[in-house]
Amino acid sequence: MNVCSAPGKMILLGEHAVVFGKPALALAIDLRISSSVYPSSQYSVNGHPMRKKHHAYISAALDEAWNGPPINIDTDSELPSGSGLGSSAAVTVSCIAAMTVSKGKLDPEKIARKAFEVENVVQGSASPTDTSTSTHGQGVLVTPERMSDLLWTISKGERSWNVHHCDVPHLEFVVGYTGIHAATGPLVAKVKKFVDSDENAKMAISRVGEIVLDGVDALGRGDKGKLGKLMDENHALLNLLGVGHPALEVLVEACRGTSFGTKLTGAGGGGSMIALTDDPEKTAKAITEAGGTPIVVEVGCEGVRVEK
Ligand code: PMV
């Protein structure tokens, strides 16, 4: 039996705009999904026959990375699914890792490439941000240009994303989960339709790209005040792009008094928001009182790894 695990992530800045080739900055978090792979009489997931519709990511991962006899895949998740915390990327990455691990060694670049293909097939359109962050861990900066600390370049059609390692200083974040499950694919499609037809939406995408690069600078200087302001501005632009949700707004407002900045994270439409804070307990309390589920997370955690 092979067992591998991979972390979820939070997108600190740049979601959605990154699908259009703009920069994004994502941090691995200390909630993981682990996948165990072992021989079986039929293809199955957690002991149930595999069904493409119900196990979209795992079944696409099999198509991408497995050509042996039937296997069972058991998954064990600390991440709420559809929460904007990268559960689909973590399940895909850990699964591909468990299918391809050889002599206890993983090939992160190969895993990141295959996992991106899987997300792209299942979601219709994707950037490599989630899958590369789940693979590499720590911090990941995705940009259209090559910079220092390049990990790999992933291309699809006319787009190329350069994926870089990014150092993560000690920062305290609280996630606020709305409890509303939102699928990424339709939200990405909705933003594309809007951007294709609206000048303000195009400008919002460009501005998000600038915010990310300023954010990398602020992160490097440990300037939480600046980073928080950039998060707030990024959140407003995501609302303009139509991926906000009233339940997210309630949590974002509730955290304002105790944080440097707040924003939705991931695809939006529900899912989660994040708050950068110096007082996680107070921020978590504010989220609970506003009806959300707080998760105090550590950032900059280890990427995909072999567990057994
Ligand atoms: O909500 P998640 O964890 O699926 O994150 C989606 C991030 C997007 O930028 C909206 C899509 C992508 O593939 O980058």
Side-chain angles (χ1 to χ4, degrees):
M1 177 162 72
N2 295 331
V3 187
C4 292
S5 76
K9 61 91 223 317
M10 64 162 70
I11 298 187
L12 183 53
L13 298 164
E15 53 274 88
H16 285 290
V18 69
V19 178
F20 297 84
K22 301 292 177 198
L25 179 58
L27 312 177
I29 60 174
D30 60 340
L31 299 174
R32 306 182 74 85
I33 293 187
S34 127
S35 294
S36 321
V37 168
Y38 51 89
S40 173
S41 56
Q42 61 172 337
Y43 287 103
S44 49
V45 177
N46 295 321
H48 301 287
M50 182 176 309
R51 301 228 302 272
K52 260 197 166 47
K53 203 170 152 218
H54 283 94
H55 309 115
Y57 289 95
I58 295 178
S59 123
L62 266 173
D63 291 345
E64 190 64 41
W66 182 254
N67 57 9
I71 47 176
N72 177 74
I73 297 126
D74 283 340
T75 60
D76 189 10
S77 176
E78 297 169 343
L79 283 161
S81 88
S83 61
L85 299 177
S87 60
S88 51
V91 82
T92 304
V93 167
S94 59
C95 217
I96 292 174
M99 287 188 254
T100 55
V101 61
S102 155
K103 297 185 186 114
K105 278 208 167 266
L106 295 173
D107 180 340
E109 180 171 348
K110 218 169 167 178
I111 294 168
R113 287 185 187 286
K114 286 185 188 295
F116 165 68
E117 289 301 330
V118 167
E119 279 220 324
N120 205 60
V121 164
V122 178
Q123 287 171 201
S125 177
S127 81
T129 312
D130 287 19
T131 39
S132 283
T133 306
S134 186
T135 305
H136 177 66
Q138 306 167 73
V140 161
L141 171 64
V142 181
T143 60
E145 294 87 26
R146 279 176 184 226
M147 297 165 71
S148 55
D149 290 330
L150 181 75
L151 294 168
W152 44 74
T153 301
I154 294 186
S155 305
K156 190 91 208 165
E158 63 194 25
R159 291 221 192 290
S160 271
W161 293 272
N162 294 295
V163 180
H164 308 83
H165 162 82
C166 182
D167 283 333
V168 186
H170 177 73
L171 292 172
E172 297 185 283
F173 287 95
V174 183
V175 171
Y177 178 39
T178 60
I180 298 165
H181 181 287
T184 302
L187 287 156
V188 169
K190 179 179 164 182
V191 173
K192 183 172 182 341
K193 207 170 156 201
F194 190 27
V195 171
D196 284 349
S197 64
D198 187 284
E199 275 314 305
N200 285 332
K202 275 194 195 74
M203 273 160 61
I205 294 287
S206 291
R207 177 62 193 142
V208 171
E210 293 167 4
I211 287 174
V212 174
L213 296 180
D214 288 351
V216 173
D217 211 48
L219 190 73
R221 286 183 283 109
D223 185 343
K224 294 185 234 180
K226 175 75 182 173
L227 202 51
K229 282 204 177 72
L230 293 166
M231 288 168 69
D232 288 341
E233 188 185 349
N234 194 166
H235 179 72
L237 292 168
L238 287 162
N239 270 336
L240 186 151
L241 289 169
V243 295
H245 189 282
L248 281 168
E249 235 38 49
V250 170
L251 301 187
V252 162
E253 285 310 316
C255 291
R256 286 222 192 274
T258 63
S259 35
F260 296 99
T262 54
K263 66 181 272 293
L264 73 82
T265 191
S272 301
M273 49 73 68
I274 50 172
L276 173 61
T277 177
D278 263 350
D279 196 337
E281 251 178 61
K282 255 198 191 151
T283 303
K285 193 163 172 269
I287 291 172
T288 306
E289 281 169 4
T293 304
I295 314 171
V296 179
V297 290
E298 269 182 40
V299 292
C301 303
E302 193 185 353
V304 66
R305 68 177 180 227
V306 181
E307 297 289 350
K308 219 195 256 175

